[in-house]
Every structure is written in C-alpha cells, then in structure tokens.
Amino acid sequence: MHNDLATVLIDDARLQQRVRELGAQIAADYAETGDLLMVGVLKGCAMFMMDLARCIDLPLAMDFIAISSYGQSTESSGVVRLLKDLDTDIAGRHVLIVEDIIDSGLTLAYLRSQLDRRNPASLRICTLLNKPERRDPEVSISVDYLGFDIPNAFVVGYGLDYAERYRNLPYIGVLKPEIYSGH
Ligand code: IMP
Ligand code: MG
C-alpha cells in the first residue's frame, strides 16, 4: 500500500497538531452559542471528523450526509447527487460542515445551498484540505476553518480514497500517477 505513494505530503504528527489547533479554535468560537452540530460528509470526513470532535471541548452533536463525487475516477463529473440525507432537523441549529477536501468546490457549493434552505441558525465550513488552484471559477466558497492548502495533486490517506482504497493510511500522501492513469 505504502509503495503506491510518490510522497508523503502531511505526516501524522502534523495532522494531529493541526487538528488540535482547529479543535481549540472551534471550541472558542462556539462556546457562546451553546449548540454545535457537526455534519460530516461521508466517507472522506471519517478520520478527520472523529479526531476533530475529540479536540472540541464542548457538548456537540454529530450527523452525516453522503454525496456522490468522483466514483472511481480522479476528475469531478460535475454531477452531484445526495446519497444519504441527515437524520437531524437542522432548522435553528448551529451547523458546521466537515469535509475532507475542497477541489473544484462543486460538492460543497451544492451541499451548502441544500442545507441553507433548511434555515440553520448558522452554517460554517471546516475542511481538512483545500486545493485553491483547482477551484471552479464559477464557484465561490468561503472556508471558515482550514487545515492545509495543498498543491494540485491527487492525494489519499487519512480518510481520502482512490477507488475506496487508502483511506486507512495515517498520513496524507500523493498517489503515483501510474496507479490511476489507466482510468
Ligand atoms: P469537488 O466537488 O471537486 O470540490 O470535490 C470534492 C470531493 O472530491 C471531495 O469530497 C473528495 O471526496 C473528492 N476529492 C477531490 N480531490 C481529491 C483528492 O485529491 N483525493 C481524494 N479525493 C478527492
Ligand atoms: Mg471521495
């Protein structure tokens, strides 16, 4: 598995350090609202959300949503589909969307507009990774909490997959192009 990677971009220690910083910042920002509902975008958010939640020293709730993205390719289809909706009614709630990565921004733009319509008290975005160079010029996303800006490369690990694999790597790495060049 490790041999399929060209480089390690962010190692485990840097990930955990940044997650602790984000957790502290979020805890400080939400302390006065008395409410925090973390909404994880499956499945890429899994590792990040669980580590982040443990670093937020506040009462909070968690829910999950699933959206189709790339299937088995590394390029966005531009077609976004809701695969699993929330269990929670978010009207009046302070909602924090937790994403693994923002690439074109299409997924998050869709999700934000869907959730906005349900009248949350507030709606913010937390993403572990961001690829600013890849943003669709038509899409404007304001990220409230960001782990790392990364260059334009296909990355895996710490929840991020290629064709459902590599999510369990404890670091973020760049996949060797020959691994996905056949697709
Ligand atoms: P967007 O709609 O183009 O912003 O794509 C966002 C989704 O695509 C993320 O939630 C990921 O599931 C997936 N994605 C984008 N870039 C990568 C990457 O480098 N590695 C793994 N998944 C990615
Ligand atoms: Mg994915």
Side-chain angles (χ1 to χ4, degrees):
M1 182 166 64
H2 302 275
N3 286 337
D4 293 349
L5 297 165
T7 51
V8 174
L9 202 60
I10 309 166
D11 67 18
D12 180 56
R14 272 184 79 204
L15 282 172
Q16 295 309 324
Q17 172 61 28
R18 189 72 191 116
V19 168
R20 277 195 296 274
E21 291 168 2
L22 288 173
Q25 197 187 336
I26 291 166
D29 291 354
Y30 284 86
E32 273 164 33
T33 67
D35 179 42
L36 170 56
L37 173 61
M38 299 175 80
V39 168
V41 185
L42 293 171
K43 303 168 217 166
C45 75
M47 310 282 175
F48 177 46
M49 179 134 151
M50 295 307 105
D51 285 345
L52 182 63
R54 277 181 284 202
C55 294
I56 301 173
D57 190 14
L58 287 180
L60 57 80
M62 298 184 204
D63 202 345
F64 297 92
I65 202 161
I67 280 177
S68 69
S69 56
Y70 289 8
Q72 305 229 326
S73 157
T74 58
E75 283 297 317
S76 183
S77 61
V79 178
V80 179
R81 211 156 46 93
L82 192 66
L83 301 176
K84 182 221 169 281
D85 204 346
L86 297 170
D87 300 329
T88 314
D89 176 5
I90 64 166
R93 303 294 304 273
H94 290 277
V95 174
L96 180 63
I97 299 174
V98 180
E99 253 285 30
D100 53 355
I101 188 164
I102 307 179
D103 189 40
S104 68
L106 289 168
T107 306
L108 213 46
Y110 168 82
L111 183 58
R112 193 186 49 191
S113 71
Q114 291 294 307
L115 297 189
D116 245 336
R117 248 182 253 171
R118 303 178 189 183
N119 299 315
S122 69
L123 184 59
R124 289 185 182 170
I125 292 170
C126 175
T127 184
L128 178 66
L129 304 175
N130 180 40
K131 290 185 198 169
E133 289 165 40
R134 292 267 303 173
R135 195 74 81 257
D136 185 313
E138 313 256 295
V139 173
S140 100
I141 296 278
S142 73
V143 178
D144 301 284
Y145 305 97
L146 169 65
F148 304 89
D149 274 325
I150 62 165
N152 180 15
F154 195 79
V155 295
V156 295
Y158 196 61
L160 289 105
D161 73 305
Y162 169 64
E164 296 301 327
R165 290 175 63 204
Y166 308 103
R167 293 192 198 275
N168 56 320
L169 289 173
Y171 53 84
I172 303 281
V174 178
L175 205 56
K176 286 179 183 162
E178 61 259 37
I179 303 295
Y180 57 80
S181 58
H183 292 266

